[in-house]
Amino acid sequence: MKSIRDKSLFKNKNYIGGDWIDADSKETLTVKNPASLEILGTVPKSGKKETDRAIQAAKETFPSWRKKTAKERSNILYEWFRLILENKEDLAEIMTLEQGKPIAESRGEIVYAASYLEWFSEEAKRTYGDIIPSHRTDTRVFVSKGPIGVVATITPWNFPTAMLARKIAPALAAGNTVVSKPSELTPYSALALAVLGERAGIPKGVWNLVTGDPFAIGESLLQNKDVRKLSFTGSTKTGQYLMEKSAPTLKKLSLELGGNAPFIVFEDADMDEAIKGAMLSKYRNTGQTCICVNRFLVQDSIAEEFATRLSKEAAKLKVGSGLEPGVEQGPLISEAALKKVEAHVQDAVSQGAKILTGGKKHLLGGNFYEPTVLFPINKDMLVFKEETFGPVSSIMTFSSEEDAIAKANDTEFGLASYVYTRDISRIFRMTENLECGMVGVNEGVISSEQVPFGGVKFSGMGREGSKYGMDDYTVTKYICLGGIT
Ligand code: ADP
């Protein structure tokens, strides 16, 4: 904390109606550093009352915010983008302190988060409608895209700034007003973003941030008819709960949920590239990424070689506190996350998987776990069925293309997939047959503000980023102009 230049970025209050306020009860939640387990500070333990107030503030400011020209909103978002980059070092440090990821990854996330504000500041001006040939000679038909109203966002701890930015940027660009609930594990990154939003000129009440009890805040957001849209990133279980509870008020929904990404390597693949992509896609953020590889599917003839090479690379990763120079893998977010990883590895081993490297808690203690490789795994193991969300590579073999597709699709999830092959026809067959929202072909890093991010099946609905990302935050209105003679 000492090295944060601008201490005013480190806020411990709600941001409601443009005011920085405590919970009515003055109760607080503590926030821990997952690397040292030390308490970083507290944030208000807010609930229904504070959230209702935030919704009211958003409702009251909606008419004036939507009335601004797209360029006026765009200019504010662009200034916000610029301020985030200007404060990159401080924001990255706050993130590493509360989230644990290596500082280089935090810097990368800050730039990535800022890119959504830049992109949607541009898209704000391109929210075009249509003029449609009329079905009658005496009418003319127009279609416009407008804001929805008050939007709620609920975001997780694994990318605390980027997940928030990619929701609020399109929401605000389109002219909506917003109430956001960050994860109780990583609220400081969100609060720092609010400080910069205020400096960039976001008018009071247009964006509100409430920290505290997820259930109580959630209840207010879900029950309130004025909240017309809910955008959520997190677990499938919570997504299902939010969808069910949104039914009585019929909210428009964007749900970016869990994944179970296959990483398929065919025998004709460039092995060096496959190993490189595997390392980037698997171990980033200590494997706590919804598009992280969860299951490696490798063709029989090259599986041993792939497993050996991957475990050599994984064993080289430097594990430690994210603020230490050269560290490549930080801690897991919590003890519960560590326990889940331990349970998955034990389950796999008890069913015959071998540990090629790692396989236990790291000597550093706390929430640290060793980079791990398991080989071979099978369909009955938890590592195949569920998202491990940790630094564990679980490798399975396949015999043919049909077998690879069957295994890859043998999951209720469908977020990202990865395929390594040099056969152009196979690339098309694979990308067409994989049941998912995104495919990396000979590439392990696929996120960008310029592409549509999202899933199918139990991985949710809606797309974030790109030109498609704006659709989730707008309503289409058709206007029939009559009496044309
Ligand atoms: P994860 O397993 O990644 O922590 P969760 O779905 O539990 O995923 O959490 C993602 C976000 O959803 C967090 O901000 C969390 O506080 C929030 N959340 C969890 N349960 C609820 C709930 N019942 N109502 C509203 N928000 C919730």
Side-chain angles (χ1 to χ4, degrees):
M1 203 94 69
K2 269 184 253 140
S3 53
I4 293 176
R5 280 179 313 145
D6 181 352
K7 301 268 187 295
S8 66
L9 289 174
F10 201 85
K11 280 278 185 195
N12 60 358
K13 303 224 187 293
N14 291 306
Y15 184 58
I16 298 175
D19 296 319
W20 294 95
I21 51 178
D22 289 319
D24 289 4
S25 65
K26 306 286 176 221
E27 281 187 81
T28 56
L29 292 176
T30 52
V31 183
K32 274 191 188 167
N33 175 335
S36 65
L37 304 182
E38 281 164 10
I39 290 176
L40 282 173
T42 62
V43 289
K45 188 180 176 191
S46 318
K48 191 164 179 340
K49 270 197 223 154
E50 296 82 356
T51 314
D52 285 347
R53 228 175 286 147
I55 296 168
Q56 189 56 31
K59 187 184 174 185
E60 281 167 16
T61 48
F62 176 59
S64 57
W65 181 246
R66 78 175 300 181
K67 228 169 149 184
K68 283 194 186 298
T69 64
K71 185 156 181 165
E72 283 170 326
R73 288 196 298 272
S74 169
N75 287 343
I76 295 174
L77 294 180
Y78 191 83
E79 175 62 5
W80 201 354
F81 153 73
R82 207 192 55 73
L83 286 173
I84 294 171
L85 292 187
E86 199 175 282
N87 290 275
K88 182 172 96 176
E89 281 308 308
D90 282 349
L91 294 172
E93 187 165 338
I94 291 171
M95 188 184 300
T96 292
L97 281 169
E98 67 176 354
Q99 203 279 342
K101 66 180 67 178
I103 191 75
E105 286 189 27
S106 291
R107 288 188 193 114
E109 182 180 337
I110 295 301
V111 174
Y112 177 50
S115 73
Y116 282 99
L117 286 154
E118 181 193 34
W119 175 264
F120 285 107
S121 76
E122 294 156 352
E123 287 297 286
K125 295 175 282 186
R126 292 176 197 131
T127 316
Y128 302 140
D130 276 313
I131 301 175
I132 295 180
S134 180
H135 50 291
R136 278 174 31 187
T137 54
D138 60 345
T139 65
R140 297 293 181 271
V141 172
F142 305 88
V143 176
S144 69
K145 299 267 179 85
I148 307 169
V150 177
V151 171
T153 77
I154 300 179
T155 44
W157 47 265
N158 61 344
F159 290 90
T161 307
M163 295 303 98
L164 187 54
R166 79 177 177 195
K167 295 184 189 312
I168 58 173
L172 296 172
N176 303 284
T177 52
V178 183
V179 178
S180 294
K181 190 204 87 59
S183 167
E184 57 282 15
L185 301 176
T186 54
Y188 291 126
S189 295
L191 291 163
L193 203 59
V195 174
L196 296 178
E198 192 177 37
R199 283 185 205 163
I202 296 283
K204 284 175 186 294
V206 166
W207 184 41
N208 306 272
L209 200 59
V210 188
T211 67
D213 177 8
F215 280 93
I217 297 172
E219 203 185 310
S220 162
L221 295 173
L222 291 161
Q223 287 176 357
N224 198 312
K225 285 199 189 119
D226 291 326
V227 176
R228 301 302 321 137
K229 150 105 196 174
L230 171 64
S231 180
F232 169 73
T233 297
S235 64
T236 296
K237 196 164 148 253
T238 302
Q240 287 166 323
Y241 166 85
L242 296 173
M243 187 169 185
E244 190 190 327
K245 298 287 176 190
S246 292
T249 54
L250 275 174
K251 297 189 199 311
K252 183 170 163 122
L253 293 171
S254 296
L255 302 172
E256 201 263 275
L257 310 176
N260 186 357
F263 187 105
I264 306 161
V265 189
F266 285 92
E267 60 191 359
D268 69 340
D270 179 328
M271 182 65 97
D272 292 343
E273 281 300 312
I275 295 290
K276 205 169 97 192
M279 288 300 293
L280 286 170
S281 173
K282 176 69 246 184
Y283 292 99
R284 192 164 62 104
N285 205 10
T286 317
Q288 303 171 115
T289 305
C290 47
I291 56 167
C292 265
V293 185
N294 202 50
R295 301 165 298 153
F296 285 96
L297 303 174
V298 187
Q299 199 150 17
D300 293 327
S301 54
I302 56 161
E304 288 275 353
E305 184 195 351
F306 181 86
T308 309
R309 287 190 56 181
L310 187 65
S311 48
K312 266 196 198 137
E313 291 302 316
K316 282 191 218 158
L317 289 175
K318 184 173 174 193
V319 179
S321 158
L323 291 176
E324 261 174 53
V327 160
E328 294 161 295
Q329 185 187 295
L332 287 156
I333 188 71
S334 65
E335 199 187 340
L338 182 85
K339 289 234 147 63
K340 182 177 183 191
V341 172
E342 282 184 310
H344 274 208
V345 171
Q346 273 158 22
D347 170 76
V349 171
S350 73
Q351 294 190 64
K354 291 210 170 52
I355 297 172
L356 300 193
T357 188
K360 56 184 187 309
K361 281 170 80 161
H362 195 275
L363 283 175
L364 289 167
N367 297 333
F368 289 97
Y369 197 85
E370 293 177 340
T372 296
V373 177
L374 300 175
F375 175 71
I377 62 137
N378 67 46
K379 287 207 267 190
D380 298 323
M381 298 175 182
L382 291 174
V383 287
F384 184 88
K385 292 190 277 199
E386 291 177 20
E387 203 175 16
T388 303
F389 236 55
V392 181
S393 292
S394 305
I395 305 173
M396 182 180 224
T397 59
F398 70 83
S399 53
S400 61
E401 194 176 310
E402 292 69 34
D403 188 28
I405 285 282
K407 284 173 173 158
N409 288 341
D410 185 10
T411 170
E412 60 200 13
F413 298 100
L415 195 59
S417 301
Y418 305 88
V419 183
Y420 278 73
T421 177
R422 284 189 268 215
D423 179 332
I424 191 78
S425 298
R426 177 184 281 150
I427 288 173
F428 282 100
R429 287 194 301 271
M430 292 300 291
T431 54
E432 285 159 17
N433 286 317
L434 283 167
E435 297 167 355
C436 62
M438 301 171 274
V439 192
V441 180
N442 299 323
E443 180 56 58
V445 181
I446 58 174
S447 297
S448 157
E449 79 283 9
Q450 298 181 30
V451 305
F453 191 106
V456 298
K457 294 160 79 178
F458 277 42
S459 295
M461 59 191 73
R463 292 295 178 268
E464 299 192 299
S466 78
K467 68 171 184 174
Y468 306 101
M470 209 63 162
D471 293 342
D472 278 40
Y473 296 91
T474 56
V475 280
T476 302
K477 190 179 278 174
Y478 144 59
I479 300 133
C480 182
L481 181 66
I484 309 289
T485 51

